[in-house]
Amino acid sequence: MNNRNYNIYFNTHTISGIIICALLYVIFFAGSFAFFRNEIAAWQNNASYKTYKENHQSFDKLLDSLKGEANLHGRDINFYMHREGTSAYVGYTASNDTILNKENLSKITPEQKAEKKKGRRRRGGDDDSKNFTYNFVNQKVGDYAQNYDMGEFLFRLHFLAQLNQVPISIGIAPFGYLVAGITAFIFLFALITGLLLHWDKLVSNFFVFRPFSKWKTVWTDMHTALGVIGFPFQFIFAVTGTFLIVNSVLALPFSKLLYDGDQQKMYQDIGVSAKEDYAYSYKSLNKDVKIAPFLDMAKTKWPESEFHRIVVKNYADSNMHVIMELEPHFNSSFAGSGILTMKVADNKIVEEKSPLTGASYGDYVRSIIYRLHYGDYGGYPLKMVYFILGVMGCLVIISGILIWLVARDKNNVIPRKRKFNFWAANVFTAICLTMLPVTAITFVAIKVSPKVDQDFIYRVYFYAWLLLSLYYIIRRSIRRTNRETLLVGSILAFVVPIANGLVTHNWLWKTFVDGQRDLFVVDFLWLMIGIIGLLAFYKTKKFFQKIQ
């Protein structure tokens, strides 16, 4: 490789990497735990989703209970299913009956209006629509903040959703999503230029690791070896992450140009969601309103699938329809989406598409992007592999920061620049490496606290993160930051399953014997983190002693 190309690749790789390193570490670290998002939610609630027996009668019981607080006649009701059908985001619209809608609005009290305006996830205008979450395992109703869990927190942290609260308006996307999308896009440059940088000596240097050489050599060997091993994984995540983040931004101009801003209509035409244009008839339905039989029918037709979304159109109206969108299990079909639409008045099938056969081009593209990114197509073995590769990405980022620092910590660099370089690396490593003990602290806190909601998780995680980061920044010792966060994080990792056992009596061995795999996996994961972390701390301690 000629010097000009080498310098281009080197500078592009270095500059792009150092700009996004801290944000990228947060994305990789939180994303690694987010592979176990459902398991963490089950662990927090001490209710195994793996042992839950699906009962579609629960939907009708929920609708019956909602009738006690609102007149559902003429409303559209949406169930966005998640966690393998054990919970859902539920929302109902204002009534499509204009007369009933006026009556419903007149019954809203000033307190209800104030509470509705205060809601963080409120959508729509001044109507009596409502959105909430429902857990079918413990039959618990609550708003988004009340039912918030650590799995949701880490999942959203991995695409920086919490930064959406920052009062910065870009116009094309929420601030946090935009930052995450730009970070993923820059990460692509860092990956490709890094591969080109090492291409000529890729094979010869792949097996080279010199742990007792000078520091720059140690970090370079680690950075190169782990970077090359994890390159396919990281490249996949950079591409799919960029697509997922900017998907809504890319769709916006097309929906405005071709659909006058109606994105729902656009998604229906390209097959992403079912058609829902069923008019309200202003005639009551002359039969009991039950949706469980239709759900049973869909699962009888396609038992190797699960509900993605359930829509009830025009509740209790003669033109009431139940629209069921399904997705296949990963071991039955890698790609596909199914639709079953029923007209309730005569039990007639209006639209039917199997989730197991006849996948469209859009189904394949969407499934490839989502499954490759979420790692949900190979069970727990694949999730563990994804987790390990995600942690390797964190190590590549940290070693890259240290390479950058050591390469610039030379006598020919003026003191002012050397001081800036050290403080930049010191701040980056403090922010990144404290995530391990902070995450373990939060897991312990949510077990010992009698009440856990969104505010509680935010306070514990972000305050602990801020305090620990400031402490290690002020300490001004990157070596101590590295070793102490590893030691403290490893010790706290052992505390997580112990705290769970003491509080819930669901010890690691008990959940394994009872078949509660989701609860077992979380405790087992933290146990492995603790063991590997202590081994790494012991090895690094011996390593430091040898080179001193």
Side-chain angles (χ1 to χ4, degrees):
M1 182 186 301
N2 60 58
N3 288 334
R4 181 175 181 275
N5 288 342
Y6 180 87
N7 290 332
I8 291 174
Y9 298 149
F10 179 82
N11 290 325
T12 304
H13 180 73
T14 303
I15 294 172
S16 60
I18 205 66
I19 288 174
I20 63 171
C21 60
L23 290 173
L24 196 61
Y25 187 97
V26 173
I27 290 171
F28 265 93
F29 186 91
S32 297
F33 280 93
F35 293 127
F36 300 96
R37 174 190 180 190
N38 293 342
E39 287 76 12
I40 293 171
W43 181 87
Q44 177 176 326
N45 295 317
N46 194 35
S48 175
Y49 300 153
K50 295 297 181 183
T51 57
Y52 171 72
K53 303 298 182 182
E54 191 175 39
N55 182 5
H56 297 143
Q57 299 294 331
S58 302
F59 287 85
D60 288 325
K61 290 180 181 179
L62 174 59
L63 292 175
D64 289 339
S65 66
L66 290 177
K67 292 178 184 177
E69 64 180 54
N71 184 354
L72 297 183
H73 194 98
R75 299 181 189 267
D76 298 338
I77 307 169
N78 289 271
F79 298 87
Y80 292 91
M81 308 303 300
H82 60 123
R83 294 173 188 158
E84 302 179 41
T86 58
S87 59
Y89 295 125
V90 186
Y92 58 76
T93 66
S95 178
N96 294 313
D97 189 313
T98 54
I99 298 176
L100 282 178
N101 188 33
K102 291 180 180 179
E103 294 178 359
N104 295 333
L105 290 175
S106 65
K107 297 177 182 178
I108 300 178
T109 64
E111 292 78 10
Q112 290 174 327
K113 289 182 179 179
E115 184 67 24
K116 186 175 178 61
K117 289 182 178 180
K118 191 173 64 175
R120 295 183 179 181
R121 296 176 62 85
R122 175 176 175 265
R123 296 178 180 179
D126 294 327
D127 54 36
D128 64 337
S129 61
K130 185 176 181 179
N131 295 280
F132 59 93
T133 61
Y134 185 75
N135 190 313
F136 289 97
V137 178
N138 54 28
Q139 299 181 356
K140 180 182 177 182
V141 179
D143 60 26
Y144 179 78
Q146 291 171 339
N147 285 346
Y148 200 77
D149 56 66
M150 194 62 185
E152 181 78 357
F153 173 82
L154 291 170
F155 173 71
R156 295 195 169 275
L157 182 62
H158 108 277
F159 52 87
L160 310 179
Q162 286 81 357
L163 288 180
N164 292 340
Q165 303 299 322
V166 177
I168 298 177
S169 179
I170 305 299
I172 58 175
F175 179 68
Y177 298 163
L178 185 65
V179 172
I182 293 173
T183 302
F185 188 69
I186 295 176
F187 183 43
L188 277 174
F189 282 92
L191 281 174
I192 295 171
T193 53
L195 186 66
L196 293 173
L197 193 63
H198 298 289
W199 186 258
D200 289 345
K201 297 182 179 180
L202 191 62
V203 176
S204 60
N205 286 356
F206 183 79
F207 299 99
V208 174
F209 187 67
R210 295 155 287 184
F212 303 114
S213 184
K214 57 184 180 180
W215 278 116
K216 183 182 178 182
T217 304
V218 174
W219 300 129
T220 301
D221 288 348
M222 179 188 294
H223 188 77
T224 304
L226 295 181
V228 172
I229 293 171
F231 177 83
F233 171 84
Q234 294 163 13
F235 183 79
I236 287 172
F237 265 75
V239 173
T240 57
T242 302
F243 178 87
L244 291 173
I245 288 294
V246 303
N247 179 38
S248 58
V249 179
L250 293 175
L252 185 62
F254 289 103
S255 65
K256 286 185 176 180
L257 179 64
L258 302 176
Y259 292 88
D260 296 326
D262 189 351
Q263 291 193 45
Q264 184 63 27
K265 175 65 175 174
M266 180 186 69
Y267 287 134
Q268 290 173 3
D269 285 350
I270 64 178
V272 173
S273 59
K275 295 182 179 180
E276 303 174 9
D277 50 346
Y278 300 105
Y280 183 72
S281 69
Y282 287 89
K283 297 178 182 179
S284 296
L285 184 68
N286 295 322
K287 61 187 298 187
D288 292 336
V289 181
K290 301 291 182 183
I291 68 170
F294 304 116
L295 304 180
D296 292 338
M297 179 190 297
K299 291 306 290 281
T300 301
K301 283 177 173 288
W302 308 301
E304 295 299 320
S305 62
E306 60 185 38
F307 293 109
H308 171 63
R309 188 169 75 117
I310 301 167
V311 182
V312 179
K313 294 288 294 183
N314 306 317
Y315 185 86
D317 182 69
S318 63
N319 200 32
M320 173 179 170
H321 286 73
V322 178
I323 305 165
M324 295 156 280
E325 300 178 8
L326 303 95
E327 293 180 344
H329 295 158
F330 70 86
N331 53 1
S332 299
S333 177
F334 185 82
S337 61
I339 296 172
L340 182 63
T341 302
M342 303 292 301
K343 185 174 182 180
V344 178
D346 53 10
N347 297 334
K348 180 182 178 182
I349 297 177
V350 177
E351 183 178 5
E352 180 177 356
K353 176 178 177 287
S354 172
L356 305 176
T357 59
S360 65
Y361 174 77
D363 289 332
Y364 278 110
V365 172
R366 188 167 61 253
S367 295
I368 287 173
I369 291 173
Y370 277 84
R371 291 199 182 278
L372 287 178
H373 194 81
Y374 293 125
D376 61 352
Y377 57 94
Y380 286 129
L382 182 67
K383 285 188 176 183
M384 285 295 183
V385 171
Y386 266 47
F387 180 85
I388 293 170
L389 290 171
V391 173
M392 284 173 53
C394 295
L395 296 177
V396 170
I397 295 167
I398 290 297
S399 60
I401 295 173
L402 296 176
I403 292 171
W404 179 84
L405 174 63
V406 174
R408 286 156 181 78
D409 189 21
K410 297 177 181 178
N411 293 328
N412 61 344
V413 179
I414 61 177
R416 174 169 50 84
K417 289 186 176 180
R418 290 180 66 183
K419 187 176 182 179
F420 172 81
N421 294 337
F422 170 78
W423 275 103
N426 184 42
V427 170
F428 288 159
T429 53
I431 292 172
C432 295
L433 294 176
T434 51
M435 284 192 75
L436 176 59
V438 167
T439 304
I441 288 171
T442 311
F443 268 79
V444 174
I446 62 179
K447 272 299 169 184
V448 299
S449 175
K451 181 183 178 181
V452 177
D453 55 14
Q454 186 178 28
D455 289 336
F456 176 84
I457 294 176
Y458 272 38
R459 287 197 306 270
V460 172
Y461 199 95
F462 288 125
Y463 284 151
W465 196 5
L466 176 63
L467 291 175
L468 277 179
S469 297
L470 289 176
Y471 171 74
Y472 284 110
I473 289 172
I474 295 171
R475 284 280 296 273
R476 295 183 298 175
S477 175
I478 295 177
R479 179 184 296 184
R480 286 189 172 183
T481 301
N482 196 342
R483 296 183 62 216
E484 290 180 8
T485 54
L486 179 60
L487 176 61
V488 174
S490 301
I491 294 173
L492 288 172
F494 287 110
V495 178
V496 173
I498 293 174
N500 182 44
L502 291 174
V503 174
T504 67
H505 303 293
N506 259 336
W507 294 96
L508 189 70
W509 52 87
K510 185 178 183 297
T511 54
F512 179 78
V513 173
D514 293 343
Q516 298 175 326
R517 290 178 297 165
D518 40 5
L519 306 186
F520 168 79
V521 162
V522 177
D523 284 336
F524 179 77
L525 180 65
W526 278 110
L527 181 63
M528 290 297 101
I529 291 173
I531 293 173
I532 295 172
L534 286 182
L535 288 174
F537 176 79
Y538 175 73
K539 293 293 184 181
T540 55
K541 184 178 180 181
K542 291 179 64 177
F543 169 71
F544 286 135
Q545 291 173 348
K546 286 184 179 181
I547 64 175
Q548 285 176 347

